[in-house]
Amino acid sequence: MKFWQKVFLSVLILFVVALNIGMFTVMHFTYKEQLSSVKQRAKGEAYFLRNSISKDFTNLEETSTLTRDKKETIYDSYKTYYMEQNVFLELWSGNSLIGGTFDLNIESRDELDTVDNVQNLLIREVDQEEYLFLACNLEEPYENHILVIAYPLTELTNTRKQLVQMVIATDIAITILLSVILYLIIRKLMKPLKRLSEATGEITQGNYSQEIHIQSQDEFGSLAKKFNTMSERINENINLLQEESDRKQQLIDNMAHELRTPLTSISGYADYMRMAALSEEERIHALDYIIAETKRLEKLSRTLLMIADIREGVLTKTAVSTEQIKIYIQNLFHNQLKEKQILLEVNCEIETIEASEVMLQCILGNLIENAIRACEVEGRITVTFYNHEGTCFTVEDNGIGMEAEEIAKIMEPFYRVDNARSRKHGGVGLGVTLCHQIVKVHQGELRYESEVNKGTKVIVTFTT
């Protein structure tokens, strides 16, 4: 059973029960009031008749003897009037009936057992009809005489039956009307819950961009806003996971390609050396190529391990001297710079830079190495350390430059602007990726500005 059906039935049942209890309680008290009114009327009539008949007996006894026939004559004078009012009378003298208008099949007459002139009242069903019987003694000295009055309760009973029928009919009509109104209200109130359920179903099917539009300020509106926030975050996380998965797959594919090329060359030259009769010069050339490819594989392995260490390690920063860094990079690239007659200029506008010294050496080494590859003979490379909204340094060259499309892809692992030139100088295509990871762990920013045939400028900012 659905939730709205449970709410519908629960509210309907509670209302119907409360309505019936209320209506039947009112009906019961109404009947009691009407019955009490009939009893008061009977008592009044009994009091009047008791006094009247007692006085008539007294008056008659003053002038003559009070015989049974005379008592019956006095009784008859009252009987005719009350029969027209549909009220039945009896007059008893002890256990002897003087006169009566009852034509009823009554087995027991408990009302005749009057004690101390107290009125006896009881309701008795006779021939499937209810009667109110009232019995009382006459006044002294005629207290051995008992007057019995019987009121038929047919009208009251019929009124009660009609009231019951009206209550039942009203109950049915109100229940039907309430059911329709309650159904419409609950269905309207449950629409937001239905939308939430449908949206949840969409999410289980993989549609994480599902949103709910509920214009209300109640709990459903608040729940819808939280649901949309949750759905948005789930969708963002799914997209991030998908992007990360795609990057990992691309890295694996590129790595397989990068490993296959040197391994194929090493295997080919090894087979060549084993199968062919080579001169000493040819053997040395083959060994040099094998050694060069082996070193490239070793460099690839070291770079990948460093990237993994950066992602999982803890950053330890120190105040690194820019002058020491200047000496380090001049010594590191002395032979390469001399070979291509490239001028390296290092400007230190600040004395220290807060960073990991090993990582700083690594990022500068990769950036300057890329700049050397990009420069022609007698090129120029400028490194500058300075402060601008954080600690910054730039590596600028006047080399071949890059297209805008190439700048957008340069962060991708194993991407090379010039494959032939990069492989010739031992590049593995992970330098920029490694630099990006180092800057990221320093909570910094890495930007490229480049123009074809004019050069490239790399700007690194450490914000912390």
Side-chain angles (χ1 to χ4, degrees):
M1 182 180 293
K2 294 184 178 180
F3 177 72
W4 75 266
Q5 294 173 335
K6 293 179 181 178
V7 174
F8 173 79
L9 289 177
S10 300
V11 175
L12 183 62
I13 290 172
L14 287 174
F15 184 86
V16 170
V17 170
L19 176 65
N20 280 275
I21 291 175
M23 295 182 72
F24 279 96
T25 300
V26 171
M27 184 180 67
H28 174 73
F29 281 105
T30 301
Y31 175 75
K32 288 292 185 182
E33 287 292 327
Q34 292 175 342
L35 183 59
S36 177
S37 176
V38 173
K39 289 180 179 180
Q40 291 298 325
R41 176 188 170 191
K43 289 179 180 180
E45 291 291 345
Y47 181 79
F48 169 76
L49 285 171
R50 173 194 177 194
N51 292 338
S52 296
I53 294 175
S54 296
K55 287 180 180 180
D56 288 343
F57 282 1
T58 302
N59 293 334
L60 183 61
E61 198 170 24
E62 288 177 354
T63 58
S64 62
T65 304
L66 187 61
T67 62
R68 179 185 176 85
D69 291 339
K70 291 179 179 180
K71 292 178 181 179
E72 188 173 348
T73 301
I74 293 173
Y75 164 77
D76 289 339
S77 65
Y78 290 97
K79 177 189 71 173
T80 304
Y81 172 78
Y82 279 98
M83 285 188 64
E84 293 176 356
Q85 304 298 320
N86 199 27
V87 177
F88 303 96
L89 300 178
E90 279 185 341
L91 184 61
W92 294 74
S93 177
N95 294 326
S96 175
L97 180 62
I98 296 175
T101 58
F102 295 172
D103 186 17
L104 302 172
N105 183 19
I106 304 174
E107 297 180 357
S108 175
R109 300 303 301 274
D110 296 335
E111 70 275 9
L112 297 177
D113 296 332
T114 59
V115 180
D116 298 331
N117 295 329
V118 176
Q119 294 179 345
N120 279 343
L121 264 174
L122 60 87
I123 296 175
R124 179 184 291 124
E125 184 175 338
V126 181
D127 297 335
Q128 297 182 347
E129 290 189 15
E130 288 187 341
Y131 290 84
L132 173 64
F133 285 83
L134 187 149
C136 63
N137 300 90
L138 296 184
E139 292 182 347
E140 293 181 356
Y142 312 107
E143 63 270 13
N144 63 328
H145 291 72
I146 299 174
L147 174 67
V148 181
I149 304 174
Y151 284 85
L153 300 179
T154 306
E155 183 178 351
L156 184 62
T157 304
N158 290 338
T159 301
R160 185 181 184 184
K161 290 180 180 178
Q162 291 175 0
L163 187 60
V164 170
Q165 293 174 353
M166 183 182 68
V167 167
I168 293 175
T170 304
D171 187 29
I172 293 174
I174 291 177
T175 301
I176 294 173
L177 180 62
L178 176 67
S179 300
V180 175
I181 295 174
L182 191 62
Y183 173 80
L184 296 176
I185 292 175
I186 291 179
R187 290 292 287 177
K188 181 176 179 61
L189 292 176
M190 290 298 164
K191 277 186 178 180
L193 190 60
K194 183 180 180 182
R195 293 178 190 171
L196 284 169
S197 177
E198 292 174 350
T200 305
E202 289 291 328
I203 287 181
T204 60
Q205 299 297 322
N207 184 12
Y208 300 106
S209 61
Q210 186 70 25
E211 288 189 358
I212 304 173
H213 301 285
I214 298 177
Q215 303 298 328
S216 64
Q217 302 301 322
D218 55 11
E219 288 80 358
F220 283 122
S222 176
L223 183 60
K225 291 178 182 178
K226 293 178 181 178
F227 180 90
N228 290 337
T229 302
M230 178 194 71
S231 177
E232 182 179 352
R233 290 181 179 176
I234 290 176
N235 193 38
E236 290 175 357
N237 290 334
I238 291 296
N239 291 336
L240 289 175
L241 289 173
Q242 185 61 48
E243 291 175 3
E244 184 67 20
S245 176
D246 292 342
R247 283 196 296 269
K248 288 180 178 179
Q249 186 60 47
Q250 183 182 8
L251 177 63
I252 292 172
D253 294 342
N254 292 336
M255 190 184 302
H257 175 75
E258 292 296 325
L259 290 173
R260 184 176 64 248
T261 302
L263 288 175
T264 301
S265 300
I266 291 172
S267 176
Y269 271 97
D271 287 340
Y272 175 63
M273 292 176 64
R274 184 183 64 179
M275 302 295 295
L278 303 178
S279 63
E280 184 66 18
E281 182 181 354
E282 290 174 332
R283 188 178 66 81
I284 293 174
H285 175 74
L287 287 173
D288 288 341
Y289 193 89
I290 291 173
I291 292 171
E293 292 298 310
T294 303
K295 287 183 178 179
R296 196 159 76 88
L297 286 175
E298 183 183 2
K299 185 177 181 181
L300 173 62
S301 176
R302 285 199 311 270
T303 307
L304 288 173
L305 287 173
M306 183 172 289
I307 291 174
D309 290 340
I310 291 172
R311 287 181 175 178
E312 299 177 4
V314 178
L315 175 64
T316 302
K317 295 189 291 183
T318 58
V320 182
S321 171
T322 54
E323 287 295 332
Q324 290 181 357
I325 292 293
K326 175 180 178 180
I327 296 171
Y328 168 78
I329 58 179
Q330 285 176 341
N331 292 333
L332 181 64
F333 296 105
H334 175 75
N335 292 333
Q336 297 181 45
L337 294 170
K338 184 177 181 181
E339 181 182 349
K340 295 185 70 173
Q341 301 178 20
I342 295 175
L343 174 63
L344 175 62
E345 181 180 350
V346 182
N347 302 317
C348 300
E349 298 179 8
I350 56 176
E351 293 182 358
T352 60
I353 181 169
E354 287 289 330
S356 167
E357 183 174 3
V358 175
M359 292 185 184
L360 185 60
Q361 292 173 351
C362 180
I363 188 173
L364 282 168
N366 277 283
L367 294 178
I368 293 173
E369 184 178 5
N370 290 340
I372 292 173
R373 293 194 193 116
C375 287
E376 301 294 341
V377 177
E378 298 183 351
R380 181 186 184 90
I381 300 173
T382 304
V383 179
T384 305
F385 296 95
Y386 63 99
N387 273 328
H388 178 69
E389 297 180 356
T391 305
C392 307
F393 63 87
T394 59
V395 178
E396 186 174 4
D397 66 67
N398 61 349
I400 59 174
M402 295 180 290
E403 299 281 356
E405 296 81 3
E406 293 174 333
I407 294 176
K409 298 178 182 179
I410 200 169
M411 298 291 183
E412 298 177 5
F414 298 107
Y415 180 78
R416 297 182 180 87
V417 176
D418 188 338
N419 281 327
R421 179 177 300 197
S422 180
R423 292 184 187 279
K424 179 181 177 182
H425 291 88
V428 296
L430 289 173
V432 177
T433 302
L434 179 59
C435 292
H436 178 68
Q437 292 296 327
I438 293 173
V439 173
K440 186 177 180 181
V441 81
H442 282 80
Q443 299 181 12
E445 183 185 10
L446 176 67
R447 293 186 294 113
Y448 274 82
E449 296 176 1
S450 185
E451 190 173 348
V452 177
N453 296 326
K454 289 189 176 182
T456 300
K457 182 178 182 180
V458 185
I459 305 167
V460 178
T461 304
F462 289 161
T463 57
T464 57

